[in-house]
Amino acid sequence: MNQKTYITFLVFFLGIITIASAQLSVSGTVTESQGPLPGVNILVKGTQNGTTTDFDGKYSISNVPEDAILTFSYLGFVTKEVSVNGQSVIDVVLQEDAAALDEIVVVGYGTQSKREVTGAISQIKSDDIAQIVTANPTAALQGKLAGVQVETAGGAPGSPANVFVRGISSLTNSFPLYVIDGTIVDDIVFLNPKDIIDIQVLKDATSAAIYGSRAANGVIIVTTNRGKKDTSPTVNIDVRGGINTQPKKLDLLNGPEYIQFLNQRRINDGLPGNIADPGIDTDFQDLTINSGSIQDYGFNISGGNEQSSYFFSSNYYKEEGLLISEDFQRINTRLNSQFEIGKFKIKESFSFAENTFTQNLAFGNQGPTLPILNPFNPNNEGGFEAVDGDRYPGVGGTNKFAQANLLDDENTERNLLGNINISYEILEGLTAKLNLGVDYKNIYRNTFLPTFFQSNTDATNNLNEANDLTEVRAEILSTNVEPTLNYKKVFNNHSIDVLVGGARQEVDNNTLAVYAQGLPSNDIRNIGNFTELVENTGGGRFESRLFSYYARLNYKFNDRYLFSGIIRRDATSRFSSKDDLNADVFPSFSLGWVVSEENFWPEDSFINTLKLRGGYGELGSQNIGDFVFQSVLNPSSNVAFADNPAQGFAITSLVNENISFETSITTNFGADISMFDNSLKVSLDYFNRDNEDVLLALAVPSTSGSANPIIQNAASINNKGFELEATYSYNTESDFKFDVGVNFAAIDNELTSAANPILGPVINEEQTRVNRYEEGNPLGFFFGFQTDGIYTSQEQIDNDPFLANDPERRGILQPGDFRRVDTNGDGRVDETDRVNLGDPTPDFTYGINFTGSYKKLDFGLFFNGVQGNEIYNVTKFFGVFFADDNKFGLVRDAFTPQNTNTNIPRVTNLDPAGNQLPSDFFVEDGSFFRLKTLEIGYDLTDIIGSEWVKKGRVFFNMQNVFVITNYSGYDPEVGSTSGAQADADTGFFGFRGVTNPIFGRGLDVRAQPRPRTFIMGLQFSF
């Protein structure tokens, strides 16, 4: 090699080295005034080399020339250009632009800028959750989010709630899927509300489709606190205490009034009204409903460094219910953390909760206790008495006050929830994640009824010669394993985010219930060594499996054109694998257009941001029990050979092996708008959801050899509606600041097809059913007679045109009976004249949230309401027509020959005209407007004046401040009756018939009164 060639080669080689050495890897953190900023686009100017920041605002980009310029852009913030100048670490703070402020929302298996979301997602923050002091965190959602309806059945502490996202979409289970820090659970009743950072609700198919066949009813994603990085250790203490009070009493007859009523009823039935007043007047309503205390104590410790953060909390909550023999206690502990080790990021969440509670199972069982009973009777075993039918002919019933005192029902539920999320950046922009979740529940129930004597009347309930004990133990283990690959890339004006993954969920449920009778002492509350006294056993082991694969593509062009597409395949063990009935594919897609980013959009417009979005998606549902497609053997089908009994096995239930997924098909159109320098933000949505192949239990003829219904895909449901969410922030340099939030949702639902009408639960001993599900009608509408007052004379009966062709009915009517309307005009009044009397679904729901501050003072008001729903007041049946128990004060105005100017029918036990049958007399308007919470707080930090007290606050909180309603019951928010006719066990002591909450909606069987609560609290940070 000659010298010239050598020099040329050396120069070339050194040039290569110089060029290579000029390529840097740059990393850093992008923040804004409130903290880290995820989703920021970072691009090497003039190239296609780019990346995006992660959830913590961190980024890393390689192959960056030393003299390059990095462009940092994010919708809603001023784009910033930074010269590299050989730096390997560049931290950037972005400033808010004239566009609307952005939020980060948690979506399935990741996060996304709210401005880039093309589906329907609602969010509630920790401050709104903290306003509600409650045993059930679900109640914090009530009235806060458009399209999310929360119904609680009265005021029992820790009572379950109905949560419907955009209406009822299934007749087996219409409740949403819950995800807590990546772990799938059935509910959130065990959570400490103070641990929650935010709750996201995925409402449409395009946002929820990533969760597949479990997401047809919506998805509620809960994120708990993990602490913040780069913060010093902080200790927060929260102490609250208060009292529950009764806001309303029902008007019931006193002792003398009841005797007067009883005698009038006997006279109306042709019997002598000669029952003597015993001189007893007991107010059992006052004895049963009392004030109860609330205690809520908790603390948390959090902090972090550059690579990690942690959060530890513990909380104790105890609430005494308004009713006797009813209380609730919850203990919570949580440890969350996150840390980085090189390219690994690890997040973990572990929590333990123990709920212990007792229930008043007697309240709501038929009517109120008779006032002519003594509150206590020491001469009777057990210390109570019930009605004597010999002394008061035609009267029976039970003493609910006695039942509540005698029955010992103790429940303990322990929950261990764990989640580990491990991610590793394989290449720049390519990240592998593994999400592991476990939800373990341990349930124990001990229900004991001692021996007692109260009366020989209705002896089944009023005499217990052998005590009863049921013990129930259950374990439920649910696990989910979800590996994913996520690739993000920014090039020129394009941004892509691709996610592929799989999921495996397993649920194992093991339950054993044992019932024993006749234990040797009322002090023994454990079956233990008394196995010979076992009368019945129950329970079983059930397993379900769900295997899934899914993919999602989010694409953005030029910060204004958005696309999202999702496809998921699910295979479940709840359907037969024959012909792939247990597997299906569910696609969805959505589009978005940020109109305000277009060049034609005027910069001085009062509308700062306008985004239009729309989408279509299909979701499946597998919300049925395990193995319902398989026939099972009944081991109790005994036979006899030559008069010798022998145990036999037989198939006593029929099944349909061809059942498969329900399918939910949703279209959604929406707009997100911010106006007036981003002080006003509005989201609008219109949706239409068709649920096809809806699973339901259809009755079969008794000649089939089975009395059990068969689960089939045999119905369809439509829900459509409009939603609005708006917030206004008044945040100036003055001392007075406030925020107002409004939400509104109108939903219309219809059972669009069904093989046969589906009847609701039995509500009384007469086996009456008052609600039904019938093609072409709203779900669960009330079905009965229209009435037009009462007949006040025989002449009105004789000349009633409604009875022109009905001499039979005319012959049994008497003055004081209801005048039923001949709705079909045939001159007869019979079952064909029954009509739709209303339904429990509101025409619209709404909420108004107002928070503000003035100097050191802060305050908050939250209103919510519903309009246009009806309630079937079953309590009216028991309080007016039922043979037993006490009566409502309205019977004072019942028809008599001396009192004809009334709309209350005559009182009668015989009731030949059927006044007690379902009619509009029992249907009431359930609309209400409630001031749910009022809170006033004061900042004590300056008053305390200590360096080690970072913040101090004292506050007063009041809940259920007032309610405006025309409903006559304790409270218009009745939710669902749990048992309808719940006065007797169903073959197993302690277990009563439980009504599917979908079928029990709007039936008020003496729903418990909702307390008015007064709370004082102190909060300190150190």
Side-chain angles (χ1 to χ4, degrees):
M1 179 182 297
N2 60 39
Q3 185 177 7
K4 184 176 181 181
T5 304
Y6 175 78
I7 292 174
T8 303
F9 177 77
L10 182 60
V11 170
F12 176 77
F13 181 73
L14 291 175
I16 294 288
I17 295 176
T18 301
I19 293 172
S21 64
Q23 301 295 315
L24 301 174
S25 289
V26 179
S27 62
T29 303
V30 181
T31 59
E32 47 99 11
S33 60
Q34 302 298 316
L37 196 57
V40 176
N41 295 326
I42 301 127
L43 192 69
V44 179
K45 189 173 182 178
T47 73
Q48 297 184 11
N49 184 18
T51 187
T52 59
T53 56
D54 63 13
F55 186 74
D56 297 314
K58 296 184 180 298
Y59 74 93
S60 177
I61 184 171
S62 58
N63 299 323
V64 181
E66 285 185 343
D67 59 348
I69 295 175
L70 295 183
T71 301
F72 296 80
S73 63
Y74 189 64
L75 195 61
F77 290 81
V78 177
T79 298
K80 190 170 187 177
E81 293 185 349
V82 179
S83 298
V84 175
N85 293 329
Q87 302 175 86
S88 60
V89 177
I90 298 177
D91 295 330
V92 173
V93 178
L94 292 185
Q95 302 298 320
E96 296 163 2
D97 198 354
L101 305 181
D102 200 18
E103 295 179 68
I104 298 300
V105 296
V106 179
V107 295
Y109 308 107
T111 60
Q112 197 173 10
S113 160
K114 187 173 183 179
R115 196 147 283 96
E116 296 174 4
V117 168
T118 51
I121 300 178
S122 291
Q123 183 182 58
I124 180 174
K125 296 287 191 178
S126 57
D127 290 343
D128 293 325
I129 298 170
Q131 282 186 350
I132 309 296
V133 182
T134 176
N136 186 348
T138 310
L141 296 173
Q142 187 176 43
K144 295 291 181 71
L145 303 172
V148 181
Q149 186 177 359
V150 180
E151 303 172 340
T152 56
S159 60
N162 293 339
V163 180
F164 301 117
V165 178
R166 292 184 163 181
I168 294 177
S169 56
S170 174
L171 298 179
T172 51
N173 182 339
S174 200
F175 296 155
L177 172 70
Y178 294 89
V179 182
I180 303 175
D181 294 330
T183 300
I184 295 173
V185 297
D186 290 328
D187 55 55
I188 58 174
V189 297
F190 57 88
L191 279 184
N192 173 17
K194 301 173 190 176
D195 290 344
I196 299 173
I197 290 294
D198 57 45
I199 298 176
Q200 327 278 340
V201 182
L202 314 184
K203 297 188 291 187
D204 69 334
T206 57
S207 60
I210 196 73
Y211 288 105
S213 63
R214 297 207 58 183
N217 303 325
V219 181
I220 296 179
I221 301 178
V222 180
T223 303
T224 62
N225 201 333
R226 295 185 188 276
K228 293 183 178 180
K229 294 182 179 180
D230 294 319
T231 57
S232 58
T234 300
V235 178
N236 296 304
I237 296 177
D238 191 311
V239 178
R240 313 180 191 198
I243 187 171
N244 286 328
T245 63
Q246 182 183 3
K248 179 180 180 179
K249 294 183 68 174
L250 298 184
D251 180 21
L252 304 176
L253 299 181
N254 62 28
E257 288 174 333
Y258 179 77
I259 294 299
Q260 182 180 357
F261 157 82
L262 196 58
N263 282 324
Q264 182 62 56
R265 188 171 71 178
R266 289 173 57 82
I267 291 171
N268 290 348
D269 288 341
L271 300 171
N274 56 0
I275 295 179
D277 188 343
I280 300 173
D281 183 12
T282 304
D283 187 346
F284 281 103
Q285 182 176 211
D286 188 58
L287 290 174
T288 301
I289 304 175
N290 301 285
S291 298
S293 65
I294 293 180
Q295 303 171 61
D296 189 3
Y297 315 125
F299 75 93
N300 64 66
I301 304 171
S302 63
N305 56 31
E306 185 178 352
Q307 302 297 324
S308 65
S309 67
Y310 61 88
F311 176 85
F312 174 80
S313 72
S314 186
N315 200 85
Y316 173 80
Y317 181 94
K318 181 176 175 60
E319 179 177 355
E320 296 176 345
L322 288 181
L323 302 185
I324 59 170
S325 304
E326 191 166 74
D327 57 38
F328 178 92
Q329 177 180 283
R330 184 184 64 231
I331 299 172
N332 290 94
T333 302
R334 172 174 293 278
L335 176 61
N336 291 356
S337 68
Q338 57 183 346
F339 50 91
E340 299 178 17
I341 304 175
K343 290 189 175 183
F344 281 98
K345 293 183 180 180
I346 301 175
K347 298 180 180 181
E348 59 81 21
S349 299
F350 294 103
S351 68
F352 171 79
E354 180 182 85
N355 293 356
T356 57
F357 57 94
T358 60
Q359 303 175 89
N360 186 328
L361 299 176
F363 192 88
N365 292 348
Q366 301 182 342
T369 302
L370 291 171
I372 55 174
L373 300 177
N374 289 299
F376 305 99
N377 188 335
N379 297 319
N380 288 342
E381 182 183 10
F384 300 94
E385 66 180 25
V387 66
D388 183 351
D390 294 331
R391 186 176 183 182
Y392 304 102
V395 180
T398 59
N399 184 334
K400 285 77 179 177
F401 176 69
Q403 289 178 331
N405 278 282
L406 290 172
L407 184 67
D408 188 0
D409 180 69
E410 298 181 356
N411 301 266
T412 301
E413 297 180 357
R414 296 183 178 92
N415 183 281
L416 181 63
L417 190 71
N419 178 268
I420 297 178
N421 186 292
I422 304 171
S423 66
Y424 178 77
E425 188 177 15
I426 303 171
L427 299 170
E428 184 179 319
L430 179 62
T431 303
K433 288 186 180 181
L434 177 63
N435 184 66
L436 305 173
V438 60
D439 177 22
Y440 172 76
K441 293 181 181 178
N442 181 284
I443 299 171
Y444 176 69
R445 178 181 178 188
N446 185 298
T447 306
F448 180 80
L449 186 66
T451 57
F452 63 84
F453 172 80
Q454 296 174 26
S455 172
N456 286 314
T457 302
D458 285 341
T460 300
N461 296 312
N462 294 326
L463 171 62
N464 196 43
E465 296 179 321
N467 55 35
D468 303 275
L469 173 64
T470 289
E471 288 190 83
V472 181
R473 299 180 186 274
E475 286 187 331
I476 305 171
L477 177 64
S478 174
T479 60
N480 57 287
V481 179
E482 297 162 334
T484 60
L485 276 175
N486 187 204
Y487 180 70
K488 297 182 179 180
K489 180 67 176 177
V490 176
F491 52 98
N492 292 335
N493 293 323
H494 306 274
S495 174
I496 61 171
D497 181 346
V498 180
L499 176 79
V500 294
R504 175 188 175 97
Q505 185 181 9
E506 301 183 358
V507 180
D508 295 329
N509 188 327
N510 196 352
T511 305
L512 175 64
V514 181
Y515 164 46
Q517 187 177 55
L519 296 168
S521 169
N522 285 336
D523 294 326
I524 298 175
R525 304 297 174 91
N526 190 286
I527 294 175
N529 296 323
F530 303 100
T531 55
E532 72 279 2
L533 301 177
V534 171
E535 293 285 332
N536 201 355
T537 60
R541 182 169 185 174
F542 300 91
E543 299 177 349
S544 66
R545 303 289 185 263
L546 183 66
F547 304 93
S548 309
Y549 303 96
Y550 48 85
R552 177 177 62 204
L553 169 64
N554 291 329
Y555 171 73
K556 178 175 63 174
F557 175 68
N558 207 21
D559 280 342
R560 64 195 67 173
Y561 307 116
L562 311 171
F563 170 82
S564 181
I566 299 174
I567 189 167
R568 173 159 172 153
R569 181 186 186 274
D570 282 336
T572 177
S573 63
R574 291 185 170 173
F575 303 123
S576 171
S577 59
K578 182 184 68 173
D579 298 326
D580 287 333
L581 291 169
N582 67 328
D584 211 337
V585 175
F586 306 103
S588 75
F589 71 90
S590 55
L591 300 170
W593 179 25
V594 186
V595 184
S596 53
E597 288 293 309
E598 295 289 355
N599 295 329
F600 62 75
W601 192 260
E603 293 184 4
D604 57 350
S605 173
F606 73 93
I607 299 178
N608 307 112
T609 304
L610 170 62
K611 180 180 69 176
L612 305 178
R613 49 186 167 78
Y616 168 91
E618 298 180 10
L619 292 172
S621 177
Q622 45 139 12
N623 291 322
I624 58 173
D626 297 314
F627 310 121
V628 297
F629 67 92
Q630 293 179 327
S631 298
V632 295
L633 292 174
N634 185 344
S636 301
S637 301
N638 296 336
V639 296
F641 298 97
D643 297 328
N644 295 318
Q647 184 178 18
F649 295 81
I651 296 177
T652 56
S653 61
L654 303 177
V655 299
N656 181 354
E657 297 181 351
N658 297 318
I659 58 175
S660 189
F661 291 97
E662 299 179 351
T663 301
S664 172
I665 303 173
T666 303
T667 53
N668 192 94
F669 300 97
D672 299 318
I673 311 167
S674 65
M675 297 176 282
F676 308 116
D677 293 328
N678 310 305
S679 60
L680 177 62
K681 300 178 183 178
V682 180
S683 290
L684 306 170
D685 279 278
Y686 173 80
F687 68 92
N688 185 84
R689 180 173 64 189
D690 287 302
N691 290 79
E692 301 176 349
D693 297 323
V694 172
L695 292 159
L696 73 156
L698 291 180
V700 295
S702 57
T703 53
S704 66
S706 174
N708 299 320
I710 301 177
I711 299 291
Q712 299 191 52
N713 297 99
S716 58
I717 298 171
N718 175 262
N719 286 275
K720 56 177 176 281
F722 169 78
E723 298 168 350
L724 177 148
E725 291 183 346
T727 59
Y728 176 77
S729 295
Y730 181 81
N731 192 351
T732 65
E733 298 300 323
S734 67
D735 292 328
F736 179 60
K737 300 176 176 63
F738 69 87
D739 295 281
V740 179
V742 177
N743 69 80
F744 172 91
I747 296 178
D748 180 50
N749 68 25
E750 179 185 340
L751 186 66
T752 51
S753 70
N756 298 297
I758 306 161
L759 304 182
V762 169
I763 64 167
N764 55 30
E765 293 177 354
E766 286 74 19
Q767 304 298 298
T768 303
R769 301 176 189 267
V770 301
N771 61 333
R772 61 170 53 195
Y773 297 73
E774 187 174 290
E775 184 174 320
N777 286 279
L779 298 174
F781 72 95
F782 307 122
F783 191 62
F785 295 101
Q786 285 185 0
T787 61
D788 183 24
I790 61 174
Y791 297 107
T792 59
S793 66
Q794 186 62 45
E795 181 182 4
Q796 289 182 350
I797 298 173
D798 294 338
N799 297 310
D800 187 359
F802 291 159
L803 304 174
N805 301 318
D806 200 349
E808 182 178 354
R809 177 159 180 80
R810 184 184 293 115
I812 62 175
L813 288 169
Q814 298 181 38
D817 288 332
F818 280 130
R819 182 182 186 236
R820 294 178 182 168
V821 176
D822 174 25
T823 58
N824 62 9
D826 64 356
R828 303 177 58 85
V829 175
D830 53 26
E831 290 190 350
T832 62
D833 291 300
R834 293 179 297 172
V835 294
N836 181 344
L837 302 174
D839 66 89
T841 300
D843 295 333
F844 60 87
T845 61
Y846 57 93
I848 305 170
N849 195 41
F850 179 86
T851 59
S853 64
Y854 179 74
K855 295 184 177 180
K856 301 295 183 181
L857 186 71
D858 64 86
F859 47 88
L861 297 168
F862 173 56
F863 303 87
N864 78 299
V866 303
Q867 186 69 36
N869 64 303
E870 281 75 36
I871 298 171
Y872 194 97
N873 193 345
V874 180
T875 309
K876 261 190 179 181
F877 165 81
F878 293 113
V880 176
F881 299 103
F882 191 48
D884 305 333
D885 299 327
N886 197 11
K887 298 293 170 278
F888 288 158
L890 57 84
V891 300
R892 301 187 193 102
D893 194 36
F895 176 90
T896 65
Q898 296 76 35
N899 181 39
T900 59
N901 187 23
T902 179
N903 62 350
I904 308 301
R906 65 192 183 96
V907 294
T908 171
N909 251 358
L910 300 179
D911 194 24
N915 293 324
Q916 64 180 273
L917 294 178
S919 71
D920 54 11
F921 176 77
F922 303 98
V923 178
E924 300 185 37
D925 181 10
S927 305
F928 68 84
F929 174 73
R930 188 192 308 272
L931 175 52
K932 188 170 182 178
T933 60
L934 178 155
E935 183 167 299
I936 301 173
Y938 190 82
D939 191 335
L940 302 173
T941 309
D942 292 342
I943 296 175
I944 296 172
S946 174
E947 292 183 359
W948 53 274
V949 178
K950 298 178 181 178
K951 184 177 181 180
R953 179 176 180 260
V954 61
F955 67 92
F956 167 76
N957 180 288
M958 186 176 177
Q959 298 180 169
N960 192 22
V961 182
F962 67 77
V963 60
I964 300 173
T965 183
N966 292 322
Y967 183 60
S968 64
Y970 280 119
D971 193 274
E973 192 182 333
V974 300
S976 294
T977 178
S978 60
Q981 186 194 2
D983 61 328
D985 300 322
T986 56
F988 203 104
F989 168 70
F991 287 83
R992 291 168 176 157
V994 177
T995 300
N996 181 335
I998 296 171
F999 292 102
R1001 293 183 69 228
L1003 301 180
D1004 184 1
V1005 189
R1006 285 186 75 202
Q1008 294 190 16
R1010 193 174 308 277
R1012 176 169 294 139
T1013 304
F1014 301 87
I1015 298 286
M1016 288 294 296
L1018 289 169
Q1019 296 169 328
F1020 294 98
S1021 295
F1022 304 96

